[in-house]
Amino acid sequence: AHDLISLCSPYCMLDVQTESNKFDVVPGMKHISRSDTDENSRSPQWNQQFSFELRNFDEEFLHLSVWDESSGELCCEEALFGKSLFNAKKDESHCFLGQIEIPLKYISCTGVDQWFKLHSRGWMTSLGITGEVRLCIEFASSKNADISANTLYGTYSTEDFYSLCHQLHKYEALQYSLIHSEPWKGPLSLTSRIIINHFAVQCRL
């Protein structure tokens, strides 16, 4: 992260939520993944990996919030609203520095590595929220035999797989024709090959 509001001791809390099961992540929630604390920094570097089990890309989003673990001095939104948030350790306030909500359905199956701007909660003003967090998001096939392809994507058949291949071939040919006079003869682009591979693996075809 960089350009936080002031020198602090920031850490992140991460979780995957759905619109139907949305909640505010606050310090002390035991089932939420938590990064290490980068002491006395405005540009923390965590370089940590976290894994989450996904069940429905259409509804799920990654929620990340940044907090200051320093001495309890109010900052940002809590200072403006005269409130602080507390974790399990009594009288130790951790100040909210901003959050990110990323709908997973908009992330390419090839993943993403980019900076995301921190913003406030919906019921708070954005005044005082600064900084960005760099995230590298990757998808991998589940190794949990209890999670079926139907759970992840619904029911798909071999015919659906062939239909996807056909659509990708049409798309590749169209894109090629826009810049070349001769007909497209392949091969598929790396992105198309990754899409086909992910579909086949995730749906166990």
Side-chain angles (χ1 to χ4, degrees):
H2 62 65
D3 295 335
L4 298 179
I5 190 170
S6 61
L7 192 68
C8 56
S9 298
Y11 66 91
C12 294
M13 299 187 73
L14 306 92
D15 189 38
V16 170
Q17 303 180 12
T18 65
E19 286 296 336
S20 59
N21 187 29
K22 194 173 182 179
F23 54 89
D24 278 339
V25 173
V26 297
M29 298 178 74
K30 295 182 179 179
H31 65 287
I32 306 298
S33 295
R34 185 194 192 281
S35 75
D36 295 333
T37 300
D38 195 346
E39 302 287 346
N40 301 318
S41 174
R42 290 187 70 249
S43 299
Q45 297 184 31
W46 294 289
N47 295 323
Q48 291 181 257
Q49 295 183 3
F50 301 92
S51 297
F52 300 96
E53 184 179 284
L54 307 178
R55 293 183 175 274
N56 190 333
F57 286 157
D58 288 337
E59 296 184 5
E60 291 172 322
F61 60 90
L62 175 66
H63 181 280
L64 178 147
S65 56
V66 183
W67 300 83
D68 177 15
E69 198 182 62
S70 53
S71 62
E73 179 181 355
L74 297 184
C75 58
C76 296
E77 295 184 355
E78 277 67 33
L80 294 171
F81 282 79
K83 64 175 291 185
S84 60
L85 298 174
F86 295 83
N87 72 350
K89 189 173 181 181
K90 189 176 181 181
D91 297 330
E92 181 184 3
S93 61
H94 292 188
C95 297
F96 175 77
L97 300 179
Q99 69 175 13
I100 302 167
E101 292 182 346
I102 306 171
L104 296 177
K105 64 182 178 181
Y106 297 130
I107 301 297
S108 166
C109 69
T110 58
V112 66
D113 182 355
Q114 70 179 65
W115 290 91
F116 294 89
K117 182 176 176 59
L118 294 171
H119 58 85
S120 65
R121 290 190 176 93
W123 51 274
M124 285 181 167
T125 176
S126 293
L127 181 62
I129 298 295
T130 63
E132 297 176 308
V133 173
R134 182 181 178 183
L135 293 175
C136 178
I137 302 174
E138 297 179 344
F139 297 113
S141 300
S142 172
K143 296 181 180 179
N144 186 345
D146 294 332
I147 301 178
S148 67
N150 290 351
T151 301
L152 288 169
Y153 294 107
T155 302
Y156 289 96
S157 64
T158 305
E159 288 72 21
D160 295 316
F161 176 72
Y162 289 142
S163 177
L164 171 64
C165 294
H166 178 67
Q167 293 299 322
L168 288 173
H169 275 82
K170 287 178 59 178
Y171 173 79
E172 295 275 4
L174 175 61
Q175 295 302 308
Y176 188 87
S177 68
L178 296 177
I179 55 177
H180 298 89
S181 57
E182 68 274 13
W184 176 73
K185 298 180 180 179
L188 288 171
S189 66
L190 175 61
T191 300
S192 291
R193 295 200 304 272
I194 291 175
I195 291 173
I196 290 174
N197 180 70
H198 275 236
F199 187 92
V201 171
Q202 294 283 16
C203 297
R204 301 175 184 174
L205 296 177

mmCIF file of all heavy atoms in Angstrom, residues 135-174:
data_model
loop_
_atom_site.group_PDB
_atom_site.id
_atom_site.type_symbol
_atom_site.label_atom_id
_atom_site.label_comp_id
_atom_site.label_asym_id
_atom_site.label_seq_id
_atom_site.Cartn_x
_atom_site.Cartn_y
_atom_site.Cartn_z
ATOM 1 N N LEU A 135 -2.924 -5.541 -5.210
ATOM 2 C CA LEU A 135 -3.342 -6.923 -5.013
ATOM 3 C C LEU A 135 -3.018 -7.752 -6.242
ATOM 4 O O LEU A 135 -3.192 -7.296 -7.379
ATOM 5 C CB LEU A 135 -4.854 -7.006 -4.757
ATOM 6 C CG LEU A 135 -5.385 -6.397 -3.462
ATOM 7 C CD1 LEU A 135 -6.907 -6.473 -3.438
ATOM 8 C CD2 LEU A 135 -4.804 -7.109 -2.257
ATOM 9 N N CYS A 136 -2.581 -8.975 -6.005
ATOM 10 C CA CYS A 136 -2.410 -9.969 -7.064
ATOM 11 C C CYS A 136 -3.425 -11.077 -6.790
ATOM 12 O O CYS A 136 -3.320 -11.767 -5.773
ATOM 13 C CB CYS A 136 -0.987 -10.512 -7.067
ATOM 14 S SG CYS A 136 -0.698 -11.778 -8.318
ATOM 15 N N ILE A 137 -4.418 -11.203 -7.668
ATOM 16 C CA ILE A 137 -5.489 -12.170 -7.483
ATOM 17 C C ILE A 137 -5.352 -13.269 -8.526
ATOM 18 O O ILE A 137 -5.272 -12.988 -9.730
ATOM 19 C CB ILE A 137 -6.866 -11.504 -7.605
ATOM 20 C CG1 ILE A 137 -7.003 -10.384 -6.568
ATOM 21 C CG2 ILE A 137 -7.985 -12.527 -7.430
ATOM 22 C CD1 ILE A 137 -8.285 -9.579 -6.704
ATOM 23 N N GLU A 138 -5.323 -14.507 -8.083
ATOM 24 C CA GLU A 138 -5.222 -15.652 -8.983
ATOM 25 C C GLU A 138 -6.282 -16.676 -8.622
ATOM 26 O O GLU A 138 -6.656 -16.810 -7.456
ATOM 27 C CB GLU A 138 -3.834 -16.292 -8.888
ATOM 28 C CG GLU A 138 -2.697 -15.380 -9.315
ATOM 29 C CD GLU A 138 -1.344 -16.047 -9.183
ATOM 30 O OE1 GLU A 138 -1.266 -17.081 -8.491
ATOM 31 O OE2 GLU A 138 -0.365 -15.540 -9.768
ATOM 32 N N PHE A 139 -6.756 -17.412 -9.629
ATOM 33 C CA PHE A 139 -7.730 -18.479 -9.416
ATOM 34 C C PHE A 139 -7.061 -19.826 -9.655
ATOM 35 O O PHE A 139 -6.212 -19.968 -10.536
ATOM 36 C CB PHE A 139 -8.927 -18.328 -10.354
ATOM 37 C CG PHE A 139 -9.711 -17.066 -10.129
ATOM 38 C CD1 PHE A 139 -9.746 -16.071 -11.092
ATOM 39 C CD2 PHE A 139 -10.418 -16.882 -8.958
ATOM 40 C CE1 PHE A 139 -10.465 -14.908 -10.888
ATOM 41 C CE2 PHE A 139 -11.139 -15.719 -8.739
ATOM 42 C CZ PHE A 139 -11.166 -14.735 -9.703
ATOM 43 N N ALA A 140 -7.456 -20.805 -8.883
ATOM 44 C CA ALA A 140 -6.933 -22.159 -9.032
ATOM 45 C C ALA A 140 -8.064 -23.152 -8.879
ATOM 46 O O ALA A 140 -9.067 -22.874 -8.203
ATOM 47 C CB ALA A 140 -5.841 -22.428 -7.998
ATOM 48 N N SER A 141 -7.916 -24.313 -9.498
ATOM 49 C CA SER A 141 -8.932 -25.348 -9.394
ATOM 50 C C SER A 141 -9.000 -25.876 -7.973
ATOM 51 O O SER A 141 -7.986 -26.018 -7.289
ATOM 52 C CB SER A 141 -8.614 -26.504 -10.345
ATOM 53 O OG SER A 141 -8.568 -26.051 -11.673
ATOM 54 N N SER A 142 -10.205 -26.188 -7.539
ATOM 55 C CA SER A 142 -10.392 -26.692 -6.178
ATOM 56 C C SER A 142 -9.875 -28.107 -6.054
ATOM 57 O O SER A 142 -10.054 -28.943 -6.936
ATOM 58 C CB SER A 142 -11.878 -26.654 -5.812
ATOM 59 O OG SER A 142 -12.090 -27.308 -4.587
ATOM 60 N N LYS A 143 -9.232 -28.394 -4.923
ATOM 61 C CA LYS A 143 -8.777 -29.749 -4.615
ATOM 62 C C LYS A 143 -9.726 -30.435 -3.635
ATOM 63 O O LYS A 143 -9.469 -31.538 -3.176
ATOM 64 C CB LYS A 143 -7.373 -29.701 -4.024
ATOM 65 C CG LYS A 143 -6.328 -29.174 -4.984
ATOM 66 C CD LYS A 143 -4.955 -29.165 -4.344
ATOM 67 C CE LYS A 143 -3.922 -28.628 -5.312
ATOM 68 N NZ LYS A 143 -2.562 -28.588 -4.702
ATOM 69 N N ASN A 144 -10.814 -29.750 -3.322
ATOM 70 C CA ASN A 144 -11.779 -30.293 -2.370
ATOM 71 C C ASN A 144 -12.816 -31.111 -3.128
ATOM 72 O O ASN A 144 -13.614 -30.574 -3.878
ATOM 73 C CB ASN A 144 -12.448 -29.153 -1.593
ATOM 74 C CG ASN A 144 -13.352 -29.658 -0.491
ATOM 75 O OD1 ASN A 144 -13.712 -30.834 -0.446
ATOM 76 N ND2 ASN A 144 -13.711 -28.767 0.414
ATOM 77 N N ALA A 145 -12.819 -32.401 -2.923
ATOM 78 C CA ALA A 145 -13.729 -33.281 -3.667
ATOM 79 C C ALA A 145 -15.183 -33.043 -3.309
ATOM 80 O O ALA A 145 -16.083 -33.446 -4.044
ATOM 81 C CB ALA A 145 -13.364 -34.737 -3.390
ATOM 82 N N ASP A 146 -15.428 -32.376 -2.190
ATOM 83 C CA ASP A 146 -16.809 -32.130 -1.772
ATOM 84 C C ASP A 146 -17.447 -30.990 -2.556
ATOM 85 O O ASP A 146 -18.650 -30.797 -2.521
ATOM 86 C CB ASP A 146 -16.863 -31.802 -0.273
ATOM 87 C CG ASP A 146 -16.454 -32.995 0.579
ATOM 88 O OD1 ASP A 146 -16.645 -34.133 0.114
ATOM 89 O OD2 ASP A 146 -15.942 -32.771 1.683
ATOM 90 N N ILE A 147 -16.631 -30.215 -3.254
ATOM 91 C CA ILE A 147 -17.166 -29.093 -4.033
ATOM 92 C C ILE A 147 -17.315 -29.554 -5.468
ATOM 93 O O ILE A 147 -16.333 -29.798 -6.166
ATOM 94 C CB ILE A 147 -16.239 -27.874 -3.964
ATOM 95 C CG1 ILE A 147 -16.074 -27.430 -2.507
ATOM 96 C CG2 ILE A 147 -16.807 -26.732 -4.802
ATOM 97 C CD1 ILE A 147 -15.134 -26.259 -2.362
ATOM 98 N N SER A 148 -18.514 -29.694 -5.927
ATOM 99 C CA SER A 148 -18.747 -30.207 -7.277
ATOM 100 C C SER A 148 -18.753 -29.075 -8.294
ATOM 101 O O SER A 148 -18.870 -27.902 -7.957
ATOM 102 C CB SER A 148 -20.089 -30.937 -7.324
ATOM 103 O OG SER A 148 -21.146 -30.021 -7.143
ATOM 104 N N ALA A 149 -18.644 -29.439 -9.555
ATOM 105 C CA ALA A 149 -18.730 -28.436 -10.617
ATOM 106 C C ALA A 149 -20.087 -27.769 -10.618
ATOM 107 O O ALA A 149 -20.217 -26.593 -10.924
ATOM 108 C CB ALA A 149 -18.466 -29.117 -11.966
ATOM 109 N N ASN A 150 -21.131 -28.520 -10.268
ATOM 110 C CA ASN A 150 -22.466 -27.940 -10.221
ATOM 111 C C ASN A 150 -22.543 -26.829 -9.189
ATOM 112 O O ASN A 150 -23.217 -25.827 -9.371
ATOM 113 C CB ASN A 150 -23.497 -29.017 -9.894
ATOM 114 C CG ASN A 150 -23.674 -29.995 -11.041
ATOM 115 O OD1 ASN A 150 -23.155 -29.760 -12.132
ATOM 116 N ND2 ASN A 150 -24.375 -31.083 -10.799
ATOM 117 N N THR A 151 -21.844 -27.003 -8.055
ATOM 118 C CA THR A 151 -21.855 -25.992 -7.001
ATOM 119 C C THR A 151 -21.216 -24.708 -7.493
ATOM 120 O O THR A 151 -21.669 -23.608 -7.203
ATOM 121 C CB THR A 151 -21.100 -26.507 -5.764
ATOM 122 O OG1 THR A 151 -21.728 -27.697 -5.309
ATOM 123 C CG2 THR A 151 -21.114 -25.474 -4.652
ATOM 124 N N LEU A 152 -20.114 -24.840 -8.271
ATOM 125 C CA LEU A 152 -19.385 -23.667 -8.711
ATOM 126 C C LEU A 152 -20.075 -22.939 -9.853
ATOM 127 O O LEU A 152 -20.206 -21.723 -9.848
ATOM 128 C CB LEU A 152 -17.976 -24.084 -9.153
ATOM 129 C CG LEU A 152 -17.012 -24.480 -8.035
ATOM 130 C CD1 LEU A 152 -15.768 -25.112 -8.630
ATOM 131 C CD2 LEU A 152 -16.638 -23.270 -7.203
ATOM 132 N N TYR A 153 -20.517 -23.659 -10.836
ATOM 133 C CA TYR A 153 -20.976 -23.010 -12.060
ATOM 134 C C TYR A 153 -22.353 -23.446 -12.539
ATOM 135 O O TYR A 153 -22.837 -22.934 -13.532
ATOM 136 C CB TYR A 153 -19.985 -23.297 -13.186
ATOM 137 C CG TYR A 153 -18.634 -22.684 -12.979
ATOM 138 C CD1 TYR A 153 -17.537 -23.463 -12.648
ATOM 139 C CD2 TYR A 153 -18.458 -21.317 -13.119
ATOM 140 C CE1 TYR A 153 -16.292 -22.893 -12.464
ATOM 141 C CE2 TYR A 153 -17.222 -20.743 -12.941
ATOM 142 C CZ TYR A 153 -16.142 -21.529 -12.613
ATOM 143 O OH TYR A 153 -14.913 -20.970 -12.425
ATOM 144 N N GLY A 154 -22.978 -24.381 -11.906
ATOM 145 C CA GLY A 154 -24.206 -24.928 -12.425
ATOM 146 C C GLY A 154 -23.903 -26.171 -13.253
ATOM 147 O O GLY A 154 -22.777 -26.657 -13.278
ATOM 148 N N THR A 155 -24.891 -26.692 -13.941
ATOM 149 C CA THR A 155 -24.719 -27.927 -14.707
ATOM 150 C C THR A 155 -24.254 -27.616 -16.126
ATOM 151 O O THR A 155 -24.916 -26.900 -16.867
ATOM 152 C CB THR A 155 -26.052 -28.703 -14.757
ATOM 153 O OG1 THR A 155 -26.469 -28.973 -13.431
ATOM 154 C CG2 THR A 155 -25.870 -30.008 -15.511
ATOM 155 N N TYR A 156 -23.090 -28.163 -16.512
ATOM 156 C CA TYR A 156 -22.557 -27.981 -17.848
ATOM 157 C C TYR A 156 -22.222 -29.340 -18.451
ATOM 158 O O TYR A 156 -21.881 -30.279 -17.736
ATOM 159 C CB TYR A 156 -21.304 -27.096 -17.822
ATOM 160 C CG TYR A 156 -21.604 -25.651 -17.514
ATOM 161 C CD1 TYR A 156 -21.499 -25.160 -16.215
ATOM 162 C CD2 TYR A 156 -22.001 -24.784 -18.516
ATOM 163 C CE1 TYR A 156 -21.782 -23.840 -15.931
ATOM 164 C CE2 TYR A 156 -22.291 -23.455 -18.243
ATOM 165 C CZ TYR A 156 -22.172 -22.989 -16.947
ATOM 166 O OH TYR A 156 -22.460 -21.685 -16.669
ATOM 167 N N SER A 157 -22.283 -29.415 -19.752
ATOM 168 C CA SER A 157 -22.043 -30.678 -20.455
ATOM 169 C C SER A 157 -20.889 -30.503 -21.439
ATOM 170 O O SER A 157 -20.372 -29.400 -21.645
ATOM 171 C CB SER A 157 -23.301 -31.094 -21.215
ATOM 172 O OG SER A 157 -23.597 -30.130 -22.228
ATOM 173 N N THR A 158 -20.529 -31.614 -22.073
ATOM 174 C CA THR A 158 -19.501 -31.568 -23.102
ATOM 175 C C THR A 158 -19.935 -30.676 -24.259
ATOM 176 O O THR A 158 -19.115 -29.975 -24.864
ATOM 177 C CB THR A 158 -19.213 -32.991 -23.621
ATOM 178 O OG1 THR A 158 -18.868 -33.832 -22.518
ATOM 179 C CG2 THR A 158 -18.080 -32.983 -24.630
ATOM 180 N N GLU A 159 -21.234 -30.670 -24.554
ATOM 181 C CA GLU A 159 -21.755 -29.812 -25.626
ATOM 182 C C GLU A 159 -21.527 -28.330 -25.297
ATOM 183 O O GLU A 159 -21.225 -27.524 -26.193
ATOM 184 C CB GLU A 159 -23.249 -30.078 -25.846
ATOM 185 C CG GLU A 159 -23.579 -31.398 -26.522
ATOM 186 C CD GLU A 159 -23.362 -32.604 -25.606
ATOM 187 O OE1 GLU A 159 -23.357 -32.406 -24.366
ATOM 188 O OE2 GLU A 159 -23.177 -33.722 -26.118
ATOM 189 N N ASP A 160 -21.684 -27.976 -24.020
ATOM 190 C CA ASP A 160 -21.424 -26.592 -23.614
ATOM 191 C C ASP A 160 -19.951 -26.236 -23.828
ATOM 192 O O ASP A 160 -19.614 -25.118 -24.212
ATOM 193 C CB ASP A 160 -21.790 -26.392 -22.142
ATOM 194 C CG ASP A 160 -23.273 -26.559 -21.888
ATOM 195 O OD1 ASP A 160 -24.064 -26.030 -22.687
ATOM 196 O OD2 ASP A 160 -23.634 -27.215 -20.899
ATOM 197 N N PHE A 161 -19.087 -27.201 -23.538
ATOM 198 C CA PHE A 161 -17.656 -26.990 -23.743
ATOM 199 C C PHE A 161 -17.353 -26.740 -25.221
ATOM 200 O O PHE A 161 -16.614 -25.815 -25.572
ATOM 201 C CB PHE A 161 -16.883 -28.203 -23.231
ATOM 202 C CG PHE A 161 -15.407 -28.127 -23.475
ATOM 203 C CD1 PHE A 161 -14.607 -27.260 -22.751
ATOM 204 C CD2 PHE A 161 -14.815 -28.933 -24.445
ATOM 205 C CE1 PHE A 161 -13.237 -27.189 -22.978
ATOM 206 C CE2 PHE A 161 -13.452 -28.875 -24.672
ATOM 207 C CZ PHE A 161 -12.662 -27.997 -23.942
ATOM 208 N N TYR A 162 -17.935 -27.561 -26.109
ATOM 209 C CA TYR A 162 -17.720 -27.371 -27.543
ATOM 210 C C TYR A 162 -18.297 -26.034 -28.018
ATOM 211 O O TYR A 162 -17.743 -25.377 -28.899
ATOM 212 C CB TYR A 162 -18.345 -28.518 -28.330
ATOM 213 C CG TYR A 162 -17.614 -29.835 -28.172
ATOM 214 C CD1 TYR A 162 -18.298 -31.035 -28.103
ATOM 215 C CD2 TYR A 162 -16.230 -29.869 -28.105
ATOM 216 C CE1 TYR A 162 -17.635 -32.246 -27.959
ATOM 217 C CE2 TYR A 162 -15.551 -31.065 -27.962
ATOM 218 C CZ TYR A 162 -16.253 -32.253 -27.885
ATOM 219 O OH TYR A 162 -15.583 -33.428 -27.744
ATOM 220 N N SER A 163 -19.425 -25.646 -27.429
ATOM 221 C CA SER A 163 -20.025 -24.355 -27.780
ATOM 222 C C SER A 163 -19.101 -23.206 -27.394
ATOM 223 O O SER A 163 -18.943 -22.230 -28.142
ATOM 224 C CB SER A 163 -21.376 -24.203 -27.085
ATOM 225 O OG SER A 163 -21.943 -22.933 -27.346
ATOM 226 N N LEU A 164 -18.490 -23.307 -26.218
ATOM 227 C CA LEU A 164 -17.536 -22.285 -25.786
ATOM 228 C C LEU A 164 -16.354 -22.215 -26.752
ATOM 229 O O LEU A 164 -15.934 -21.121 -27.157
ATOM 230 C CB LEU A 164 -17.038 -22.597 -24.373
ATOM 231 C CG LEU A 164 -15.880 -21.734 -23.862
ATOM 232 C CD1 LEU A 164 -16.308 -20.278 -23.743
ATOM 233 C CD2 LEU A 164 -15.374 -22.259 -22.519
ATOM 234 N N CYS A 165 -15.828 -23.367 -27.142
ATOM 235 C CA CYS A 165 -14.716 -23.402 -28.098
ATOM 236 C C CYS A 165 -15.096 -22.735 -29.416
ATOM 237 O O CYS A 165 -14.313 -21.974 -30.002
ATOM 238 C CB CYS A 165 -14.270 -24.842 -28.345
ATOM 239 S SG CYS A 165 -13.544 -25.670 -26.920
ATOM 240 N N HIS A 166 -16.326 -23.018 -29.872
ATOM 241 C CA HIS A 166 -16.809 -22.440 -31.131
ATOM 242 C C HIS A 166 -16.886 -20.916 -31.030
ATOM 243 O O HIS A 166 -16.460 -20.196 -31.945
ATOM 244 C CB HIS A 166 -18.178 -23.023 -31.474
ATOM 245 C CG HIS A 166 -18.787 -22.456 -32.714
ATOM 246 N ND1 HIS A 166 -18.261 -22.660 -33.975
ATOM 247 C CD2 HIS A 166 -19.902 -21.678 -32.883
ATOM 248 C CE1 HIS A 166 -18.998 -22.033 -34.866
ATOM 249 N NE2 HIS A 166 -19.999 -21.439 -34.234
ATOM 250 N N GLN A 167 -17.409 -20.408 -29.926
ATOM 251 C CA GLN A 167 -17.533 -18.965 -29.742
ATOM 252 C C GLN A 167 -16.163 -18.290 -29.676
ATOM 253 O O GLN A 167 -15.965 -17.200 -30.233
ATOM 254 C CB GLN A 167 -18.323 -18.662 -28.460
ATOM 255 C CG GLN A 167 -19.775 -19.080 -28.507
ATOM 256 C CD GLN A 167 -20.547 -18.362 -29.603
ATOM 257 O OE1 GLN A 167 -20.332 -17.181 -29.867
ATOM 258 N NE2 GLN A 167 -21.441 -19.090 -30.260
ATOM 259 N N LEU A 168 -15.218 -18.935 -29.015
ATOM 260 C CA LEU A 168 -13.880 -18.374 -28.937
ATOM 261 C C LEU A 168 -13.199 -18.367 -30.299
ATOM 262 O O LEU A 168 -12.485 -17.413 -30.648
ATOM 263 C CB LEU A 168 -13.037 -19.156 -27.926
ATOM 264 C CG LEU A 168 -13.405 -18.938 -26.451
ATOM 265 C CD1 LEU A 168 -12.614 -19.887 -25.558
ATOM 266 C CD2 LEU A 168 -13.154 -17.498 -26.037
ATOM 267 N N HIS A 169 -13.420 -19.414 -31.099
ATOM 268 C CA HIS A 169 -12.864 -19.440 -32.445
ATOM 269 C C HIS A 169 -13.442 -18.309 -33.298
ATOM 270 O O HIS A 169 -12.716 -17.640 -34.048
ATOM 271 C CB HIS A 169 -13.134 -20.792 -33.115
ATOM 272 C CG HIS A 169 -12.142 -21.850 -32.791
ATOM 273 N ND1 HIS A 169 -12.205 -22.594 -31.634
ATOM 274 C CD2 HIS A 169 -11.038 -22.280 -33.472
ATOM 275 C CE1 HIS A 169 -11.199 -23.443 -31.614
ATOM 276 N NE2 HIS A 169 -10.475 -23.286 -32.702
ATOM 277 N N LYS A 170 -14.739 -18.081 -33.181
ATOM 278 C CA LYS A 170 -15.375 -16.988 -33.926
ATOM 279 C C LYS A 170 -14.797 -15.645 -33.490
ATOM 280 O O LYS A 170 -14.534 -14.770 -34.327
ATOM 281 C CB LYS A 170 -16.887 -17.011 -33.689
ATOM 282 C CG LYS A 170 -17.606 -18.141 -34.398
ATOM 283 C CD LYS A 170 -19.098 -18.143 -34.074
ATOM 284 C CE LYS A 170 -19.782 -16.846 -34.466
ATOM 285 N NZ LYS A 170 -21.239 -16.892 -34.191
ATOM 286 N N TYR A 171 -14.610 -15.493 -32.194
ATOM 287 C CA TYR A 171 -14.068 -14.228 -31.683
ATOM 288 C C TYR A 171 -12.641 -14.003 -32.182
ATOM 289 O O TYR A 171 -12.297 -12.901 -32.631
ATOM 290 C CB TYR A 171 -14.083 -14.241 -30.153
ATOM 291 C CG TYR A 171 -13.396 -13.049 -29.522
ATOM 292 C CD1 TYR A 171 -14.042 -11.815 -29.431
ATOM 293 C CD2 TYR A 171 -12.096 -13.160 -29.035
ATOM 294 C CE1 TYR A 171 -13.405 -10.726 -28.875
ATOM 295 C CE2 TYR A 171 -11.454 -12.072 -28.472
ATOM 296 C CZ TYR A 171 -12.114 -10.859 -28.388
ATOM 297 O OH TYR A 171 -11.477 -9.777 -27.834
ATOM 298 N N GLU A 172 -11.818 -15.048 -32.119
ATOM 299 C CA GLU A 172 -10.436 -14.929 -32.571
ATOM 300 C C GLU A 172 -10.389 -14.569 -34.066
ATOM 301 O O GLU A 172 -9.593 -13.729 -34.495
ATOM 302 C CB GLU A 172 -9.687 -16.237 -32.321
ATOM 303 C CG GLU A 172 -9.533 -16.609 -30.857
ATOM 304 C CD GLU A 172 -8.335 -15.956 -30.197
ATOM 305 O OE1 GLU A 172 -7.659 -15.138 -30.858
ATOM 306 O OE2 GLU A 172 -8.070 -16.256 -29.027
ATOM 307 N N ALA A 173 -11.235 -15.225 -34.859
ATOM 308 C CA ALA A 173 -11.261 -14.964 -36.304
ATOM 309 C C ALA A 173 -11.685 -13.526 -36.591
ATOM 310 O O ALA A 173 -11.125 -12.858 -37.472
ATOM 311 C CB ALA A 173 -12.209 -15.943 -36.992
ATOM 312 N N LEU A 174 -12.673 -13.038 -35.835
ATOM 313 C CA LEU A 174 -13.137 -11.659 -36.025
ATOM 314 C C LEU A 174 -12.041 -10.658 -35.675
ATOM 315 O O LEU A 174 -11.789 -9.710 -36.427
ATOM 316 C CB LEU A 174 -14.372 -11.413 -35.174
ATOM 317 C CG LEU A 174 -14.913 -9.977 -35.163
ATOM 318 C CD1 LEU A 174 -15.320 -9.558 -36.570
ATOM 319 C CD2 LEU A 174 -16.084 -9.848 -34.200
#
